[in-house]
Amino acid sequence: MYGLADCNNFFVSCERVFRPDLQGKPVIVLSNNDGCAVARSNEAKALGIKMGVPLFQVRDIVEKHGVTVFSSNYALYGDMSNRVQTTLRQMVPAVEVYSIDEAFLDLRGLEHTDLDALAKNISSVCKRNTGIPVSVGIAPTKTLAKIASKLCKQYPKLRGGCYMHRPQDIEKVLRKFPIEDVWGIGRRYSKRLKAYGVNTAWDFTQLEPRWIQQEMGVVGMNIWNELRGKPSIEFETHIQDKQQICVSRSFSKEIYDFEALAEQVSLFTSMACEKLRKQKSACHYVLVFLLTNRHKESAPQHMEGRTIAFPVGTDSTLEINESVLKALRAMYKQGYGYKKAGAILSGIIPKASVMPDMFDTVDRQKHDHLMSVVDTINAKNGHSGVYFASQSLEGIRMNRQHLSQRFTTEWDEVITVKCL
Amino acid sequence: MARIEIFKAEDRELFLPLAEGVKAGFPSPAEDIPHMSLDITSQIVKNPASTFYARVSGSSMIDDGIGDGDILVVDKSVTPYNGCIAICFVDGEFTLKHVEIHPDHIMLVPANKAFKPIKVTQDNEFIIWGVVRYVIKKV
C-alpha cells in the first residue's frame, strides 16, 4: 500500500498557525511581488477567487468580504514544510517528498495494520505537532492514494484520513472522479480523452490497453495500471517529472569529512541545476538531505533534510549551491558516517515566467551568461567539467507589502506572548 | 577529469595540500575519537519538528521565574495537562498562563498576584497553542 500526504491549502495553513484568529475566514497568499493569488483558503475559494488571479482583479471582493491578504513568506513555508516531512518520517517506513506540500508514503509491509486508523492518526499528529492540516490517502497505488487524499478534503467526516482498498469502493469513487484530476493526465490528454468520451477515471480504466499504448505510450499504461490497482509508478525513482528534479547518490564508502561531503553535494546540485536549465525552467525551492548508513546499526545515525526557498525563481547554480552549502553546514554533524546525500529542486516553473523584480539584488543577466558558458563547457567536456567553489550572493529584496513574520527562522520575529 | 574552478575574486583563498605520510612527533591519541561538542539544543528540544519559540512580553508569570523578554521553548506535540504552562490563544491574542482543567470550564491562572485568573467557557474563542517546556532567560 502507498500513501499520499497532502497539506491543505498549504501556504494559507502556514499563515494560520501563527494567526489562529483567521481560522474559518477567507485568506489568500500572493505570488512574488504581490502579483496574483497562489493559495486560497476554502472560504476565499467560495467567494470565487480563482487560482492565479491578479490581486487588482479581486480587490473589490477582498475589501467587501474582508479577505486577509499575505505576501509569500517563503522562509516560513520552507520551514513548515520541513516540519511536516519530518513528522511523516517519524510515522512511516519511507517518505518520498513530491513537492513542498505533498509527500508519498511507502507503506509496503504494513498491510496487516489498521491502515484507516493510521491515515487518520498521521493527519491528526501532523496537525497537533505542526499546526498544518494534512489529508492522508492510502490505497494500493500512488495514483489511487492521490485520489483518496482528495476525498478527505471533500468529506470532513473522514477526519483527514482515507483508506481506499476494496475494489467496489474504488469503483464507486473512480466513477465520479473527473479524468482531468487524475495524476499525470494533464490538460493536453484530458482534452483528447474527453473528445473520446472518457470523462471519469473509471471510463479510463475501461479503455483498451492497446489504444492507450498507442495514444499515450508508457505514461498512459502506467496510469491505467495504477488506477486498476497495479503499482506501476515506482517509489522514489527519478522520473522525468516537471514538479521536481532530484540528484542523489549513495556513496561507496561513508563520508565523515565536511569538505568531502560538501564537494559531493555541490556536484549533485550543479547536476540538478543543469537539468533544470536544459528544460528551460527555474525553481523556487531546493531540498538538501543527508543520511547515515542505516544498515550499520552500531554506528550513530543521523538523517536530516532542509528546504531553502528562493523568492525569485532561479536556475543559477551559483545562487542555489550557496544556499545548499549553508544548509549542509547547519545539518552536518562531525563523527557521523554519511552514506547518502542529495539535492531536490522543486517549485519548478518555466524560466520565461520568472517574475523580474525591481529590488532584486542578484544580477540575473550576469548569472544567465555565466551559466550558459558553464553549460557549453560541460557539453564539450562531459559532465561536471566545471565545478563551483563557494560563492557569495547578496540577499534578495522584493515587493512584499503583506509579509508576515518569519516566525520560525528569525529570532527577532518569533511570536510574542503577552503576560498581561 | 579536468576541472575548472570558478572563484569570486574577493573570496579567493589559497589551499595548500597537506603532505600526506610525513608525520612528525607523537600522533594525538584522540585522533580516532570523533569530536562532538555539547549542543544545548539537544537538551531543550526533544522534537524539532514540533518545537517553536516565542518571546514573553509582560510580567504576569514572574512568580514562576518567567519575565519580560524571556524566550519560551514550546512543544506542540505535548498534550496539555492539568497545571501545565501553555501559550493560549484567547479572544484574538496569545497569552501565557497555567492551564487548570475543570469538568465544565478551564481556568487560565497567572503567576503574579497582581493579575486575575481568566475563566474560559465555550463562549470564548480559545485554543491551547502549545505547552511550554523550557524558558531561556538572560541573567
Side-chain angles (χ1 to χ4, degrees):
Chain A
M1 288 289 164
Y2 296 90
L4 180 85
D6 187 1
C7 302
N8 303 351
N9 309 331
F10 181 58
F11 293 178
V12 167
S13 296
C14 289
E15 299 290 351
R16 278 178 170 167
V17 171
F18 302 92
R19 288 286 306 276
D21 56 304
L22 296 177
Q23 213 55 249
K25 297 191 177 132
V27 178
I28 59 170
V29 176
L30 302 175
S31 62
N32 276 328
N33 272 327
D34 292 346
C36 34
V38 289
R40 306 153 297 150
S41 71
N42 292 345
E43 299 77 13
K45 289 175 190 172
L47 290 173
I49 298 175
K50 295 267 182 293
M51 187 70 174
V53 70
L55 179 61
F56 72 86
Q57 279 184 21
V58 289
R59 257 266 128 79
D60 289 349
I61 304 179
V62 165
E63 273 165 27
K64 193 174 158 208
H65 297 277
V67 178
T68 305
V69 177
F70 287 101
S71 303
S72 284
N73 187 341
Y74 293 100
L76 179 66
Y77 310 152
D79 180 71
M80 294 305 287
S81 170
N82 281 338
R83 289 168 184 269
V84 173
Q85 286 161 21
T86 306
T87 307
L88 293 171
R89 274 180 224 283
Q90 289 164 350
M91 301 190 73
V92 298
V95 174
E96 176 196 340
V97 176
Y98 182 66
S99 67
I100 190 160
D101 58 356
E102 274 176 293
F104 283 108
L105 317 173
D106 188 352
L107 305 172
R108 283 174 288 184
L110 292 182
E111 278 79 3
H112 298 293
T113 51
D114 182 347
L115 290 174
D116 191 59
L118 179 69
K120 290 173 167 59
N121 191 35
I122 291 170
S123 178
S124 88
V125 170
C126 283
K127 174 80 173 124
R128 186 192 69 198
N129 288 13
T130 68
I132 302 292
V134 178
S135 296
V136 181
I138 296 178
T141 68
K142 286 168 95 175
T143 307
L144 289 172
K146 267 209 146 182
I147 293 174
S149 84
K150 286 196 177 161
L151 292 182
C152 303
K153 293 181 189 177
Q154 266 171 48
Y155 303 104
K157 249 201 199 157
L158 292 169
R159 285 184 289 122
C162 172
Y163 176 37
M164 181 176 87
H165 65 110
R166 294 189 311 174
Q168 62 269 38
D169 294 339
I170 293 174
E171 179 178 338
K172 214 173 125 192
V173 171
L174 294 189
R175 279 185 183 279
K176 281 198 249 169
F177 201 82
I179 186 66
E180 63 268 26
D181 291 345
V182 173
W183 184 39
I185 289 290
R187 208 176 292 167
R188 196 163 58 98
Y189 282 128
S190 72
K191 233 178 161 181
R192 244 202 290 168
L193 286 165
K194 277 184 176 168
Y196 199 71
V198 177
N199 292 306
T200 67
W202 179 256
D203 296 341
F204 190 78
T205 63
Q206 302 306 302
L207 289 172
E208 276 292 317
R210 210 188 307 157
W211 186 87
I212 293 172
Q213 179 73 50
Q214 210 169 38
E215 296 290 316
M216 301 173 69
V218 182
V219 178
M221 281 312 296
N222 284 343
I223 297 171
W224 187 77
N225 279 315
E226 287 251 321
L227 287 175
R228 294 170 71 100
K230 187 177 163 228
S232 305
I233 298 170
E234 262 183 76
F235 198 80
E236 234 175 7
T237 49
H238 314 151
I239 30 169
Q240 274 298 319
D241 178 0
K242 280 234 159 164
Q243 287 209 48
Q244 66 178 47
I245 294 171
C246 169
V247 179
S248 70
R249 297 283 184 274
S250 289
F251 309 123
S252 51
K253 246 182 168 179
E254 283 92 348
I255 296 180
Y256 287 87
D257 177 40
F258 178 76
E259 297 302 327
L261 189 66
E263 188 177 334
Q264 289 297 320
V265 174
S266 291
L267 184 63
F268 302 158
T269 308
S270 65
M271 285 164 76
C273 293
E274 214 180 299
K275 285 189 190 176
L276 187 69
R277 290 193 294 272
K278 221 175 195 168
Q279 65 175 58
K280 295 194 170 35
S281 303
C283 72
H284 274 299
Y285 300 96
V286 58
L287 169 75
V288 200
F289 67 89
L290 42 74
L291 38 114
T292 49
N293 189 349
R294 64 181 165 149
H295 300 298
K296 246 189 205 171
E297 280 169 4
S298 57
Q301 298 289 320
H302 177 215
M303 56 195 280
E304 205 178 329
R306 287 212 184 165
T307 301
I308 306 121
F310 303 101
V312 178
T314 179
D315 65 351
S316 163
T317 307
L318 292 173
E319 192 184 355
I320 296 169
N321 198 40
E322 191 203 26
S323 304
V324 162
L325 290 179
K326 241 185 229 168
L328 192 70
R329 193 173 288 280
M331 290 191 292
Y332 168 80
K333 287 189 189 172
Q334 218 163 23
Y336 288 76
Y338 291 101
K339 183 69 183 162
K340 189 177 180 179
I344 301 171
L345 309 178
S346 65
I348 291 174
I349 52 165
K351 177 80 196 273
S353 72
V354 170
M355 293 220 212
D357 183 355
M358 262 205 304
F359 301 105
D360 194 351
T361 55
V362 176
D363 186 344
R364 296 195 184 271
Q365 255 183 336
K366 210 162 152 188
H367 277 215
D368 286 350
H369 180 67
L370 181 57
M371 288 307 123
S372 74
V373 173
V374 166
D375 288 348
T376 316
I377 295 173
N378 281 344
K380 270 190 205 153
N381 299 351
H383 233 280
S384 54
V386 178
Y387 177 80
F388 290 91
S390 82
Q391 300 281 332
S392 140
L393 291 164
E394 286 125 44
I396 292 167
R397 270 177 49 223
M398 57 193 313
N399 186 15
R400 293 191 285 183
Q401 281 186 30
H402 310 278
L403 191 62
S404 54
Q405 287 151 258
R406 289 167 292 180
F407 296 103
T408 59
T409 54
E410 293 294 326
W411 282 111
D412 292 342
E413 300 181 22
V414 300
I415 57 170
T416 300
V417 182
K418 288 197 179 158
C419 287
L420 300 171
Chain B
M1 192 193 312
R3 276 193 163 167
I4 301 166
E5 297 209 358
I6 300 174
F7 285 89
K8 228 182 168 180
E10 57 269 36
D11 285 349
R12 187 153 198 156
E13 277 179 53
L14 189 63
F15 294 103
L16 294 175
L18 266 165
E20 267 184 74
V22 183
K23 278 189 179 165
F26 187 71
S28 162
E31 210 164 43
D32 295 330
I33 300 169
H35 165 81
M36 277 179 270
S37 45
L38 294 174
D39 175 16
I40 188 70
T41 316
S42 66
Q43 279 295 302
I44 60 171
V45 176
K46 203 173 136 217
N47 187 355
S50 59
T51 300
F52 295 83
Y53 302 101
R55 201 176 290 272
V56 172
S57 160
S59 60
S60 71
M61 294 297 281
I62 199 71
D63 291 350
D64 281 343
I66 303 173
D68 198 57
D70 291 352
I71 291 168
L72 305 171
V73 180
V74 180
D75 189 346
K76 278 175 85 75
S77 72
V78 175
T79 310
Y81 52 92
N82 195 15
C84 69
I85 298 178
I87 295 184
C88 303
F89 192 78
V90 193
D91 298 333
E93 268 187 353
F94 284 117
T95 176
L96 187 69
K97 294 285 188 301
H98 278 276
V99 178
E100 276 181 13
I101 303 165
H102 297 277
D104 60 337
H105 69 282
I106 282 171
M107 290 300 286
L108 301 180
V109 184
N112 182 341
K113 293 222 165 59
F115 293 85
K116 283 199 180 107
I118 303 169
K119 187 177 176 180
V120 177
T121 62
Q122 286 177 335
D123 300 331
N124 296 81
E125 181 195 12
F126 171 73
I127 55 169
I128 297 175
W129 195 82
V131 175
V132 175
R133 303 306 283 163
Y134 286 88
V135 179
I136 304 170
K137 70 191 299 110
K138 192 168 188 298
V139 290

